Amino acid sequence: MKILYAASEAYPLIKTGGLGDVVYSLPRALNRLGDSVRLVLPGYGQVLDEAGPLDVVAEWDIPGAGTVHHVRILQTQLEGLGERLYLVEVPALFGRPGNPYVQENGIDWPDNAERFTVFSRAVAMLALQSPDPDWQAELVHCHDWQTGLVAAFLSQSPQSPATVFTIHNLSYDGYFSHQDFTRLHLPAAWWSPDYIEFYGGFSMLKAGLVFSDRVTTVSPSYAKEICTPEFGYRFDGLLMFMGDKLTGILNGIDLDTWNPASDRYLAAHYGAIRNRIKSKRINKTDLLQTVGLPDNDAPLLGFIGRLVHQKGIDLVATMLPELFEQSTAQVVILGSGDKLFESSLLALAKQHPERLHVFIGYSESLAHKIEAGCDLFLMPSRFEPCGLNQMYSLHYGTPPIVNDTGGLADTVVDTTPTTLKNRTANGFVFRETSADALLDCTLRALDCLAHPRAWHQVCRTGMQQALGWEASARHYQQLYQLEISP
Ligand code: ADP
């Protein structure tokens, strides 16, 4: 199958979260299974700088808001990133430094509607007018709201390839005004609740849901949850009526990048059985030295992620003083996001300098060191479409403490006498979204840590779980086949 992947980020060129990991790993897994996947990304300045030699393979004039942009499609081949990478170069829209979606102050780029409409038009043109006569996309797979309009533009052509749209996080809906709709020359007929109009504005995510042949999301539980008002962000009615057009397919993890037996950021390597206890201790010392916490035998807990309400970081901040009272635990937090959460965590770290280290920013190496060096991993998300960090922590023998939601519920089995007996226990799950429930669950996990037999079994069960991409990639293949086969 020839498949064009369109997304707004991909590891290692540009990544802000799990989307970047998936867009890197899933095409690799599909290529390994014999498909031909090519990836198209916006030509952000930093991506063009890092992508090496680029060929111009197409040039088009594409309307933006009040101006026509001269768009160049650049092509390169980058080790690991699909079999070919296309970059949509529009310097006025993507040539700026910084985060792909937000300005330095955390507020969205004011021209996001224009940026991702022009990008989506270019992707649709690339799918219809392949610059490579030997390669014509049979299917276009788009990811999240930034690519929502691709299927809409493709629907205007009788030659459109099949389309799949994946929701990585429904709470980011690409919502813009009627004024943007008009300025971007979107077809008047689309201004309707049956198409992309949404509560007085329009939503690019809705365009992906409405116009694509298939919609997927990244775990079976989240696929069910988003059909309810609590998790549906006002799309629940639309999603509920989709029936089997909507599927939940669990993400995998990239075992080349996230593997404690070969991870280049670790002080010592290990497997589920081989060297685990000894090497984890070395990694713990390395992590504690890296962040400047005292090296002792106190339990060490980690958190990595965007510091936003979704991730339950406020629950962590609320429970920490009590946890420090009731245990000897130390905690390392890595993340960035909401300025209020950032400053309250930094203030807390000042009050507990021997117990808490907070690193505000993005650090690939520290993320790997935390996964390997901690005893337990905190992931109390209010909702979690799939979540990758809990899977990394399972694979690194660092049992996760999670809320019972979405992909967390699909990957983590709470430790109880029954699950210990049937050898499925791999972490700790709480069922009420509150700081008290998180604290109780964390104390329960610390108690288990003090019982070596049960503890080592829980660690080994997580490490031996099949978490790679192959099973998910096969599931996607089956879905693609349904759309491509006549
Ligand atoms: P989401 O996509 O909602 O942000 P996921 O758990 O699916 O959450 O994926 C997050 C990814 O981003 C993981 O690979 C995680 O390690 C990484 N990540 C998040 N914040 C940071 C950070 N501050 N430094 C390094 N990696 C981070």
Side-chain angles (χ1 to χ4, degrees):
M1 260 180 276
K2 296 187 175 68
I3 306 158
L4 183 65
Y5 262 55
S8 55
E9 57 181 88
Y11 173 86
L13 288 174
I14 179 125
K15 166 177 152 181
T16 68
L19 171 66
D21 286 326
V22 174
V23 173
Y24 169 72
S25 311
L26 180 53
R28 279 159 65 88
L30 288 164
N31 285 338
R32 255 183 234 138
L33 293 175
D35 287 328
S36 166
V37 183
R38 295 186 179 187
L39 175 62
V40 50
L41 298 174
Y44 305 109
Q46 78 179 73
V47 170
L48 297 181
D49 290 345
E50 283 170 34
L54 296 160
D55 297 324
V56 181
V57 292
E59 298 192 50
W60 298 307
D61 288 328
I62 294 184
T67 176
V68 172
H69 294 281
H70 187 69
V71 176
R72 298 199 309 167
I73 304 294
L74 311 176
Q75 171 189 295
T76 184
Q77 247 165 315
L78 270 193
E79 176 68 24
L81 263 183
E83 62 165 41
R84 198 158 298 190
L85 173 67
Y86 294 113
L87 298 170
V88 175
E89 186 202 48
V90 198
L93 301 181
F94 296 112
R96 61 196 74 160
N99 182 289
Y101 318 119
V102 296
Q103 309 169 69
E104 186 97 19
N105 59 10
I107 295 174
D108 288 359
W109 292 110
D111 55 352
N112 271 353
E114 179 178 18
R115 297 169 79 220
F116 292 106
T117 300
V118 171
F119 176 63
S120 294
R121 281 191 197 272
V123 172
M125 289 173 76
L126 183 64
L128 293 169
Q129 305 168 37
S130 173
D132 179 348
D134 297 327
W135 198 93
Q136 184 63 51
E138 296 165 90
L139 186 138
V140 181
H141 189 158
C142 293
H143 299 264
D144 271 355
W145 71 263
Q146 296 85 351
T147 56
L149 284 170
V150 174
F153 292 128
L154 283 172
S155 75
Q156 297 177 307
S157 160
Q159 274 89 43
S160 172
T163 47
V164 174
F165 181 78
T166 295
I167 305 163
H168 294 262
N169 191 330
L170 191 68
S171 71
Y172 297 97
D173 56 6
Y175 185 71
F176 300 100
S177 66
H178 183 257
Q179 200 190 0
D180 283 322
F181 183 89
T182 317
R183 284 165 62 228
L184 289 163
H185 312 284
L186 296 173
W190 292 358
W191 189 264
S192 145
D194 290 337
Y195 291 102
I196 70 175
E197 191 270 331
F198 193 60
Y199 294 92
F202 75 102
S203 155
M204 292 194 193
L205 181 119
K206 186 177 176 190
L209 303 183
V210 170
F211 282 98
S212 302
D213 297 316
R214 294 265 165 184
V215 174
T216 73
T217 188
V218 289
S219 71
S221 286
Y222 191 59
K224 287 195 198 113
E225 288 171 357
I226 56 179
C227 296
T228 66
E230 191 186 349
F231 296 98
Y233 283 87
R234 303 194 291 187
F235 293 101
D236 42 294
L238 175 62
L239 290 161
M240 201 167 61
F241 277 105
M242 279 187 184
D244 61 9
K245 175 174 163 180
L246 171 67
T247 319
I249 303 178
L250 194 69
N251 285 337
I253 62 172
D254 191 277
L255 296 174
D256 295 332
T257 314
W258 292 94
N259 184 349
S262 56
D263 189 323
R264 66 190 168 109
Y265 297 110
L266 303 195
H269 292 144
Y270 59 99
I273 313 282
R274 196 178 52 86
N275 293 339
R276 182 174 58 84
I277 299 172
K278 199 173 92 209
S279 291
K280 273 199 73 89
R281 189 65 188 84
I282 297 172
N283 287 317
K284 185 172 185 173
T285 297
D286 177 50
L287 172 61
L288 289 168
Q289 278 172 359
T290 304
V291 301
L293 285 175
D295 187 1
N296 55 35
D297 282 326
L300 183 58
L301 283 71
F303 174 99
I304 305 166
R306 292 177 297 114
L307 302 179
V308 295
H309 187 70
Q310 177 205 340
K311 299 288 176 184
I313 186 62
D314 53 316
L315 306 179
V316 175
T318 307
M319 78 134 180
L320 280 184
E322 192 61 35
L323 179 73
F324 293 148
E325 283 278 311
Q326 295 199 33
S327 74
T328 56
Q330 296 179 318
V331 179
V332 179
I333 293 177
L334 162 64
S336 64
D338 197 316
K339 300 292 165 217
L340 271 178
F341 292 139
E342 290 182 358
S343 52
S344 66
L345 287 168
L346 287 171
L348 208 54
K350 234 180 182 167
Q351 286 164 21
H352 303 274
E354 304 278 287
R355 309 288 295 276
L356 173 63
H357 178 83
V358 175
F359 181 97
I360 300 296
Y362 190 92
S363 167
E364 200 69 31
S365 70
L366 188 55
H368 286 249
K369 284 178 191 292
I370 290 175
E371 292 291 4
C374 287
D375 298 297
L376 285 155
F377 190 83
L378 291 164
M379 195 147 168
S381 309
R382 289 191 160 77
F383 67 93
E384 193 55 79
C386 177
L388 292 171
N389 277 309
Q390 89 281 10
M391 292 201 269
Y392 300 149
S393 75
L394 286 169
H395 198 55
Y396 278 61
T398 308
I401 296 170
V402 304
N403 198 359
D404 185 28
T405 185
L408 301 176
D410 288 342
T411 50
V412 183
V413 178
D414 192 28
T415 299
T416 66
T418 312
T419 58
L420 276 173
K421 202 162 169 210
N422 66 22
R423 301 197 156 264
T424 53
N426 64 5
F428 302 88
V429 183
F430 60 97
R431 295 176 207 285
E432 181 203 294
T433 307
S434 71
D436 284 344
L438 170 62
L439 177 65
D440 287 348
C441 189
T442 305
L443 293 172
R444 192 157 60 79
L446 293 179
D447 184 54
C448 181
L449 175 60
H451 293 84
R453 242 185 90 180
W455 177 253
H456 294 308
Q457 184 193 312
V458 171
C459 295
R460 272 198 305 269
T461 302
M463 289 193 79
Q464 288 169 337
Q465 213 163 315
L467 294 168
W469 268 105
E470 190 177 327
S472 318
R474 286 194 193 282
H475 202 150
Y476 278 105
Q477 278 189 317
Q478 287 164 4
L479 196 83
Y480 297 156
Q481 209 66 59
L482 291 175
E483 291 308 317
I484 289 177
S485 306

Short mmCIF file of all heavy atoms in Angstrom, two decimals, residues 15-19 21 169 251 258 304-306 310-311 334-336 359 361-364 367 371 379 384-390 392, ligand 1:
data_model
loop_
_atom_site.label_atom_id
_atom_site.label_comp_id
_atom_site.label_asym_id
_atom_site.label_seq_id
_atom_site.Cartn_x
_atom_site.Cartn_y
_atom_site.Cartn_z
N LYS A 15 9.13 17.85 17.97
CA LYS A 15 8.19 17.08 18.80
C LYS A 15 7.77 17.91 20.00
O LYS A 15 8.61 18.50 20.67
CB LYS A 15 8.88 15.79 19.27
CG LYS A 15 8.16 15.06 20.40
CD LYS A 15 8.83 13.76 20.79
CE LYS A 15 8.56 13.44 22.24
NZ LYS A 15 9.20 12.22 22.71
N THR A 16 6.45 17.94 20.26
CA THR A 16 5.99 18.57 21.50
C THR A 16 5.32 17.55 22.42
O THR A 16 5.08 17.83 23.57
CB THR A 16 4.98 19.71 21.25
OG1 THR A 16 3.77 19.15 20.74
CG2 THR A 16 5.51 20.74 20.27
N GLY A 17 4.95 16.37 21.88
CA GLY A 17 4.28 15.38 22.73
C GLY A 17 4.18 14.05 22.00
O GLY A 17 4.92 13.78 21.04
N GLY A 18 3.23 13.24 22.45
CA GLY A 18 3.09 11.88 21.93
C GLY A 18 2.84 11.82 20.43
O GLY A 18 3.25 10.85 19.77
N LEU A 19 2.17 12.84 19.87
CA LEU A 19 1.92 12.85 18.42
C LEU A 19 3.22 12.67 17.64
O LEU A 19 3.29 11.87 16.70
CB LEU A 19 1.24 14.18 18.04
CG LEU A 19 1.09 14.45 16.54
CD1 LEU A 19 0.15 13.46 15.89
CD2 LEU A 19 0.59 15.88 16.30
N ASP A 21 5.96 11.25 18.54
CA ASP A 21 6.46 9.87 18.68
C ASP A 21 5.72 8.93 17.74
O ASP A 21 6.32 8.08 17.08
CB ASP A 21 6.28 9.37 20.12
CG ASP A 21 7.27 9.99 21.09
OD1 ASP A 21 8.40 10.26 20.69
OD2 ASP A 21 6.90 10.22 22.25
N ASN A 169 -5.80 13.81 20.48
CA ASN A 169 -6.32 14.48 21.66
C ASN A 169 -7.49 15.36 21.23
O ASN A 169 -7.31 16.37 20.57
CB ASN A 169 -5.23 15.32 22.32
CG ASN A 169 -5.64 15.81 23.70
OD1 ASN A 169 -6.83 16.03 23.95
ND2 ASN A 169 -4.68 15.99 24.57
N ASN A 251 -1.73 2.78 20.79
CA ASN A 251 -0.38 3.07 20.31
C ASN A 251 0.61 2.03 20.83
O ASN A 251 0.35 1.36 21.83
CB ASN A 251 0.11 4.43 20.83
CG ASN A 251 -0.54 5.59 20.11
OD1 ASN A 251 -1.01 5.44 18.97
ND2 ASN A 251 -0.55 6.74 20.75
N TRP A 258 13.26 3.51 22.96
CA TRP A 258 12.94 3.32 24.39
C TRP A 258 13.19 1.88 24.77
O TRP A 258 12.28 1.06 24.80
CB TRP A 258 11.49 3.74 24.65
CG TRP A 258 11.27 5.20 24.50
CD1 TRP A 258 10.84 5.86 23.38
CD2 TRP A 258 11.49 6.22 25.49
NE1 TRP A 258 10.78 7.21 23.62
CE2 TRP A 258 11.17 7.46 24.90
CE3 TRP A 258 11.93 6.21 26.83
CZ2 TRP A 258 11.28 8.67 25.59
CZ3 TRP A 258 12.02 7.41 27.51
CH2 TRP A 258 11.71 8.62 26.90
N ILE A 304 6.85 13.06 34.09
CA ILE A 304 7.29 13.75 32.86
C ILE A 304 6.04 14.11 32.09
O ILE A 304 5.16 13.27 31.92
CB ILE A 304 8.12 12.82 31.94
CG1 ILE A 304 9.31 12.21 32.68
CG2 ILE A 304 8.57 13.57 30.69
CD1 ILE A 304 9.95 11.04 31.93
N GLY A 305 5.97 15.34 31.61
CA GLY A 305 4.82 15.63 30.75
C GLY A 305 4.53 17.11 30.66
O GLY A 305 5.17 17.94 31.31
N ARG A 306 3.55 17.40 29.81
CA ARG A 306 3.11 18.78 29.68
C ARG A 306 2.43 19.18 30.99
O ARG A 306 1.62 18.42 31.54
CB ARG A 306 2.14 18.90 28.50
CG ARG A 306 2.83 18.65 27.16
CD ARG A 306 1.89 18.69 25.98
NE ARG A 306 0.88 17.65 26.03
CZ ARG A 306 -0.43 17.84 26.17
NH1 ARG A 306 -0.89 19.08 26.25
NH2 ARG A 306 -1.28 16.85 26.20
N GLN A 310 -4.97 18.68 32.14
CA GLN A 310 -5.24 17.31 31.67
C GLN A 310 -4.36 16.29 32.39
O GLN A 310 -4.80 15.19 32.73
CB GLN A 310 -4.99 17.20 30.16
CG GLN A 310 -5.17 15.78 29.63
CD GLN A 310 -4.40 15.48 28.35
OE1 GLN A 310 -4.03 16.38 27.62
NE2 GLN A 310 -4.18 14.21 28.08
N LYS A 311 -3.09 16.63 32.61
CA LYS A 311 -2.13 15.65 33.13
C LYS A 311 -2.22 15.47 34.64
O LYS A 311 -1.44 14.72 35.23
CB LYS A 311 -0.71 16.05 32.73
CG LYS A 311 -0.49 16.11 31.21
CD LYS A 311 -0.46 14.72 30.59
CE LYS A 311 -0.34 14.77 29.08
NZ LYS A 311 -0.41 13.45 28.44
N LEU A 334 9.69 16.67 35.47
CA LEU A 334 10.21 17.28 34.24
C LEU A 334 9.02 17.67 33.38
O LEU A 334 8.17 16.84 33.06
CB LEU A 334 11.07 16.25 33.47
CG LEU A 334 11.35 16.54 32.00
CD1 LEU A 334 12.19 17.81 31.84
CD2 LEU A 334 12.08 15.36 31.35
N GLY A 335 8.97 18.95 33.00
CA GLY A 335 7.87 19.35 32.13
C GLY A 335 7.84 20.84 31.92
O GLY A 335 8.62 21.59 32.51
N SER A 336 6.94 21.27 31.06
CA SER A 336 6.70 22.69 30.89
C SER A 336 5.27 22.85 30.41
O SER A 336 4.65 21.87 29.98
CB SER A 336 7.67 23.29 29.87
OG SER A 336 7.45 22.71 28.61
N PHE A 359 12.35 20.38 37.02
CA PHE A 359 13.08 20.91 35.86
C PHE A 359 12.03 21.41 34.87
O PHE A 359 11.25 20.63 34.33
CB PHE A 359 13.93 19.81 35.22
CG PHE A 359 14.73 20.29 34.03
CD1 PHE A 359 16.07 20.66 34.16
CD2 PHE A 359 14.15 20.39 32.76
CE1 PHE A 359 16.81 21.11 33.06
CE2 PHE A 359 14.88 20.83 31.66
CZ PHE A 359 16.21 21.19 31.81
N GLY A 361 11.21 22.68 31.40
CA GLY A 361 11.81 22.70 30.06
C GLY A 361 11.63 21.35 29.41
O GLY A 361 10.89 20.50 29.92
N TYR A 362 12.31 21.18 28.29
CA TYR A 362 12.19 19.94 27.54
C TYR A 362 13.56 19.28 27.52
O TYR A 362 14.55 19.92 27.16
CB TYR A 362 11.72 20.24 26.11
CG TYR A 362 11.35 18.99 25.37
CD1 TYR A 362 10.04 18.53 25.37
CD2 TYR A 362 12.31 18.25 24.68
CE1 TYR A 362 9.69 17.36 24.72
CE2 TYR A 362 11.97 17.08 24.03
CZ TYR A 362 10.67 16.65 24.05
OH TYR A 362 10.33 15.49 23.41
N SER A 363 13.66 18.04 27.95
CA SER A 363 14.95 17.37 27.93
C SER A 363 14.78 15.89 27.63
O SER A 363 14.27 15.14 28.47
CB SER A 363 15.68 17.55 29.27
OG SER A 363 16.77 16.66 29.32
N GLU A 364 15.19 15.52 26.44
CA GLU A 364 15.09 14.12 26.03
C GLU A 364 15.94 13.23 26.96
O GLU A 364 15.48 12.18 27.41
CB GLU A 364 15.61 14.02 24.58
CG GLU A 364 15.17 12.81 23.80
CD GLU A 364 13.69 12.77 23.45
OE1 GLU A 364 13.05 13.83 23.25
OE2 GLU A 364 13.17 11.65 23.36
N ALA A 367 14.41 12.80 30.40
CA ALA A 367 13.23 11.95 30.32
C ALA A 367 13.64 10.47 30.39
O ALA A 367 13.07 9.68 31.14
CB ALA A 367 12.44 12.23 29.04
N GLU A 371 12.85 7.72 33.50
CA GLU A 371 12.18 6.43 33.30
C GLU A 371 13.01 5.28 33.89
O GLU A 371 12.47 4.34 34.45
CB GLU A 371 11.94 6.16 31.80
CG GLU A 371 10.92 7.08 31.14
CD GLU A 371 9.49 6.85 31.61
OE1 GLU A 371 9.26 6.02 32.50
OE2 GLU A 371 8.60 7.54 31.07
N MET A 379 1.46 9.29 36.85
CA MET A 379 0.73 9.74 35.66
C MET A 379 -0.77 9.82 35.97
O MET A 379 -1.56 9.01 35.52
CB MET A 379 1.01 8.79 34.50
CG MET A 379 0.60 9.36 33.17
SD MET A 379 1.70 8.80 31.88
CE MET A 379 0.78 9.33 30.43
N GLU A 384 -6.71 10.57 29.22
CA GLU A 384 -5.46 10.24 28.53
C GLU A 384 -5.78 9.41 27.28
O GLU A 384 -6.12 8.23 27.40
CB GLU A 384 -4.54 9.46 29.48
CG GLU A 384 -3.11 9.32 29.01
CD GLU A 384 -2.46 10.67 28.71
OE1 GLU A 384 -2.04 11.37 29.66
OE2 GLU A 384 -2.38 11.01 27.51
N PRO A 385 -5.75 10.04 26.10
CA PRO A 385 -6.11 9.31 24.88
C PRO A 385 -5.36 7.98 24.77
O PRO A 385 -5.95 6.94 24.53
CB PRO A 385 -5.72 10.28 23.77
CG PRO A 385 -5.87 11.64 24.41
CD PRO A 385 -5.45 11.45 25.84
N CYS A 386 -4.05 7.99 24.93
CA CYS A 386 -3.30 6.73 25.03
C CYS A 386 -2.28 6.87 26.14
O CYS A 386 -2.31 6.17 27.12
CB CYS A 386 -2.60 6.38 23.71
SG CYS A 386 -1.62 4.89 23.91
N GLY A 387 -1.39 7.86 25.98
CA GLY A 387 -0.31 8.02 26.95
C GLY A 387 0.84 7.13 26.55
O GLY A 387 0.66 5.93 26.30
N LEU A 388 2.03 7.71 26.46
CA LEU A 388 3.20 6.91 26.13
C LEU A 388 4.07 6.70 27.36
O LEU A 388 4.67 5.65 27.54
CB LEU A 388 4.02 7.61 25.04
CG LEU A 388 3.33 7.67 23.67
CD1 LEU A 388 4.10 8.56 22.72
CD2 LEU A 388 3.17 6.28 23.08
N ASN A 389 4.11 7.72 28.23
CA ASN A 389 5.04 7.62 29.35
C ASN A 389 4.76 6.44 30.27
O ASN A 389 5.69 5.85 30.80
CB ASN A 389 5.03 8.93 30.15
CG ASN A 389 5.93 9.95 29.52
OD1 ASN A 389 7.09 9.66 29.24
ND2 ASN A 389 5.41 11.13 29.24
N GLN A 390 3.47 6.10 30.45
CA GLN A 390 3.21 4.93 31.32
C GLN A 390 3.72 3.66 30.65
O GLN A 390 4.13 2.71 31.33
CB GLN A 390 1.73 4.85 31.69
CG GLN A 390 0.84 4.08 30.73
CD GLN A 390 0.47 4.91 29.51
OE1 GLN A 390 1.01 5.97 29.28
NE2 GLN A 390 -0.46 4.42 28.70
N TYR A 392 6.40 3.59 28.54
CA TYR A 392 7.86 3.62 28.71
C TYR A 392 8.20 3.12 30.11
O TYR A 392 9.12 2.33 30.31
CB TYR A 392 8.42 5.04 28.54
CG TYR A 392 8.18 5.67 27.19
CD1 TYR A 392 8.02 7.06 27.07
CD2 TYR A 392 8.13 4.91 26.03
CE1 TYR A 392 7.80 7.65 25.84
CE2 TYR A 392 7.91 5.49 24.80
CZ TYR A 392 7.74 6.87 24.71
OH TYR A 392 7.52 7.46 23.49
P1 ADP B 1 0.96 13.94 25.29
O1 ADP B 1 1.04 13.54 23.86
O2 ADP B 1 -0.43 14.18 25.78
O3 ADP B 1 1.86 15.09 25.62
P2 ADP B 1 2.13 11.31 25.86
O4 ADP B 1 2.40 10.59 27.14
O5 ADP B 1 1.32 10.58 24.84
O6 ADP B 1 1.48 12.71 26.21
O7 ADP B 1 3.52 11.66 25.17
C1 ADP B 1 4.40 12.58 25.72
C2 ADP B 1 5.74 12.42 25.04
O8 ADP B 1 6.46 13.64 25.17
C3 ADP B 1 6.61 11.36 25.67
O9 ADP B 1 7.52 10.86 24.73
C4 ADP B 1 7.36 12.17 26.75
O10 ADP B 1 8.55 11.56 27.18
C5 ADP B 1 7.59 13.44 26.04
N1 ADP B 1 7.71 14.63 26.88
C6 ADP B 1 6.72 15.39 27.38
N2 ADP B 1 7.22 16.44 28.07
C7 ADP B 1 8.57 16.32 28.00
C8 ADP B 1 9.66 17.08 28.52
N3 ADP B 1 9.46 18.17 29.25
N4 ADP B 1 10.92 16.67 28.24
C9 ADP B 1 11.11 15.55 27.49
N5 ADP B 1 10.14 14.79 26.98
C10 ADP B 1 8.88 15.17 27.24
#
